[in-house]
Amino acid sequence: MALMPVAEALQRVLADAKPLPTEVVSIDEAFDRVLTEDVVALRTQPPAAVSAMDGYAVRASDVAHAPVVLKVIGQVAAGHPFTGKVGPGEAARIFTGGIMPEGTDTVVIQELTTQDKNGVTIQKPTGAGRNVRNEGIDFAEHQTLLRQGQRLTARDLMLAAAMNYSRLNVHRKPTVAILGTGDELVPPGGSPGPGEIVYSNGFALAALARGNGALVHDLGIARDRIEDIAAAVRRARELNADVLLTSGGASVGEHDLVQRALAAEGLELSFWRVALRPGRPMLHGRLGAMQVLGVPGNPVSAYVCAFLFLGPLIRKLAGRSDISDLPQSARLGRDLPANDERADYLRATLQDTPNGPVATPLPSQDSSLMAPLAKADCLLIREPHAPAAAAGSECVILKLGL
Ligand code: AMP
Ligand code: MG
C-alpha cells in the first residue's frame, strides 16, 4: 500500500464519524459540553429599565436646572419595585438594580444630593437617561445567543442561565479507549528493571482526548501477544467506546501484531501508512461502530498522530463546529533543507517579535524525544517535497495547546 497523504488520511478518519446523539444536562453539568441546537433567549435582560447606581429616580425635566428640591415619595430596590407614579417635583430613592418607577427617566447619583426632612436637594443638573440601564440592553427575548456546535465556556453558562435555561441539549461525549502495547512497558513511579521503559504515551493521549472533550477508558498495557491485544480490543468493544486508540506495536515486523490482533477481531482497515513524519505506520479502520486509530509507540509519533487525527475525530464526534486545527503563518527561525516525500511536522519553539511570530525547529527531531516535544510551542509543517527554505521565509505552523 502506498503512503497516504495526511489530508486524505484525515478525510478518511472524519468521513463516517457522525456527531453523537443529544442528551439533556443540567446547566450545572454543561461546562465544556457542545450544543446540539441554537439557544434562544427565553426572556429579555434586563426585563425593564433599571438603575445602574444608588441615588434618586427623577424626571429629567425637573433636574435640568439645579440646585432644586424634590419631594421623596417612595423607595425602590432590586427585587422591590415601587408601584406608584413619580410626578413633577417628585423623586424616588433608588438602589442599583431597582426598576425605574413610572414617570422617571433619569437617576441622580446620591453623591450629587443631600436629603433632609424637606426632601432631596439635587445639586447638579442631570440629563435624561443618566445611570439607567434600558430594558433589553443585554439581550432580547427570542434572540439567538448561543449556537449549535459551540463548546460551552463558563461565560456561556452564565448567559444561558440568564436566558432562563436550567437544562441544555448537548451531544453525548465521545468515549476513547486507550491501549498501550509493549513487553518493555511499566507504569511510572516504580523501579524499572533492566530493559524496562516507563509507559508514558498514554498520559499524553488521555489528556489530549479529555482536552478535546472525550471521556477516557484506560485499557492499560497489553503484552506483545496477539491474544493480549485482542482481549483488550474486545474490552474496548464491551465498553462501547466510540474510538479505540492503540499505541505501539507499529515498528516494521512488529506492526503485524496490533494489526493482526485487530484483524482477528474483524477490523475493516481503512489505511495504515501515512506520508507523515513522525508517524508513518499509523493505522485507521473500524470495528463495527468503533473507530480505531493505531499510532506508533514512539512517544513523539504517538502524540503527533493523536494531535493530527484523534483531536479532529473527537471534535467531530462531539458535534463541534471547530473540527480542524487552523494553520497559522510564521517566519522560519533557521534554514531548513529540502523535504522528501513525507510531510514533516517539526517540533518548534515560537517567539513573538515585532515582525510577527518566529518558529524555530528544535535541534533534534528524533521521534523518541519527549523533552523537546514538551518544550515545543508548535508543529512546523513541511509539505512533501518542499524546497529548501531560508531563515526569515514564511512557514506554516499548528500551535500546540494541550
Ligand atoms: P513500537 O511502536 O511498539 O515498536 O514502539 C516504538 C518505541 O516506542 C519503542 O522504543 C517503545 O519502547 C516505545 N514505546 C512504545 N509504547 C510506549 C509507551 N506507551 N510509552 C513510552 N514509550 C513507548
Ligand atoms: Mg512495542
Side-chain angles (χ1 to χ4, degrees):
M1 214 189 288
L3 295 185
M4 179 169 291
V6 172
E8 194 184 333
L10 182 59
Q11 222 172 41
R12 289 223 190 172
V13 170
L14 296 179
D16 40 17
K18 299 244 177 333
L20 295 168
T22 301
E23 64 186 27
V24 184
V25 295
S26 82
I27 195 162
D28 235 11
E29 294 162 343
F31 177 60
D32 238 7
R33 303 300 298 268
V34 180
L35 291 170
T36 54
E37 57 189 26
D38 291 353
V39 181
V40 174
L42 300 176
R43 73 198 297 270
T44 295
Q45 176 62 24
V50 293
S51 178
M53 301 290 276
D54 293 344
Y56 291 85
V58 300
R59 304 163 79 95
S61 52
D62 281 346
V63 296
H65 303 284
V68 60
V69 180
L70 302 174
K71 184 181 172 197
V72 180
I73 62 158
Q75 174 163 313
V76 44
H80 302 280
F82 174 65
T83 45
K85 181 176 174 182
V86 174
E90 295 176 339
R93 182 81 171 107
I94 197 163
F95 299 98
T96 303
I99 292 178
M100 293 294 286
E102 195 184 337
T104 65
D105 57 4
T106 196
V107 170
V108 181
I109 60 172
Q110 63 190 27
E111 290 82 350
L112 300 180
T113 67
T114 45
Q115 193 174 354
D116 59 27
K117 59 182 186 326
N118 299 320
V120 62
T121 305
I122 308 294
Q123 275 137 5
K124 284 208 170 146
T126 301
R130 295 297 302 276
N131 308 308
V132 176
R133 297 187 174 124
N134 286 327
E135 175 182 336
I137 52 163
D138 197 351
F139 54 82
E141 190 179 351
H142 305 310
Q143 207 177 326
T144 301
L145 296 167
L146 299 170
R147 297 279 172 188
Q148 175 183 11
Q150 192 174 337
R151 189 183 195 187
L152 293 163
T153 65
R155 289 162 289 132
D156 295 333
L157 298 185
M158 180 192 267
L159 180 58
M163 287 195 280
N164 208 22
Y165 286 88
S166 61
R167 301 158 144 260
L168 291 167
N169 293 335
V170 297
H171 289 279
R172 177 168 75 67
K173 274 189 169 218
T175 53
V176 178
I178 296 180
L179 175 68
T181 65
D183 287 343
E184 75 282 24
L185 300 177
V186 293
S191 316
E196 290 184 334
I197 291 290
V198 178
Y199 172 81
S200 57
N201 290 353
F203 300 99
L205 303 178
L208 191 114
R210 290 193 184 102
N212 278 292
L215 295 171
V216 169
H217 295 297
D218 179 9
L219 297 176
I221 305 162
R223 303 286 101 193
D224 284 323
R225 288 177 51 240
I226 287 184
E227 190 36 51
D228 261 32
I229 300 169
V233 171
R234 286 195 293 276
R235 243 183 306 139
R237 297 195 73 177
E238 282 156 22
L239 289 164
N240 285 319
D242 298 300
V243 181
L244 167 62
L245 179 70
T246 67
S247 77
S251 39
V252 182
E254 206 195 353
H255 183 83
D256 273 359
L257 220 53
V258 166
Q259 213 184 118
R260 268 167 40 209
L262 286 165
E265 295 303 310
L267 181 79
E268 287 172 62
L269 184 70
S270 143
F271 62 82
W272 78 273
R273 289 196 340 140
V274 181
L276 170 64
R277 181 175 34 242
R280 171 168 52 188
M282 198 190 101
L283 162 162
H284 171 249
R286 299 191 69 112
L287 267 170
M290 185 170 76
Q291 297 253 8
V292 182
L293 289 175
V295 301
N298 266 315
V300 180
S301 314
Y303 180 84
V304 169
C305 287
F307 180 84
L308 295 178
F309 298 98
L310 178 70
L313 174 58
I314 291 173
R315 297 197 287 271
K316 178 141 190 213
L317 291 170
R320 277 169 63 170
S321 48
D322 57 335
I323 293 172
S324 306
D325 292 296
L326 292 183
Q328 296 174 33
S329 113
R331 307 253 152 228
L332 261 180
R334 65 169 166 92
D335 295 348
L336 286 177
N339 195 17
D340 62 9
E341 76 282 0
R342 284 199 271 162
D344 225 337
Y345 285 73
L346 302 172
R347 280 69 70 206
T349 57
L350 204 55
Q351 281 92 35
D352 275 321
T353 77
N355 301 323
V358 171
T360 308
L362 289 152
S364 186
Q365 294 287 329
D366 187 89
S367 65
S368 68
L369 305 179
M370 290 171 265
L373 176 66
K375 204 170 157 193
D377 304 306
C378 64
L379 297 173
L380 192 159
I381 306 175
R382 297 276 289 153
E383 292 300 337
H385 305 295
S393 59
E394 199 175 332
C395 61
V396 175
I397 60 162
L398 290 173
K399 277 197 182 163
L400 293 174
L402 301 170

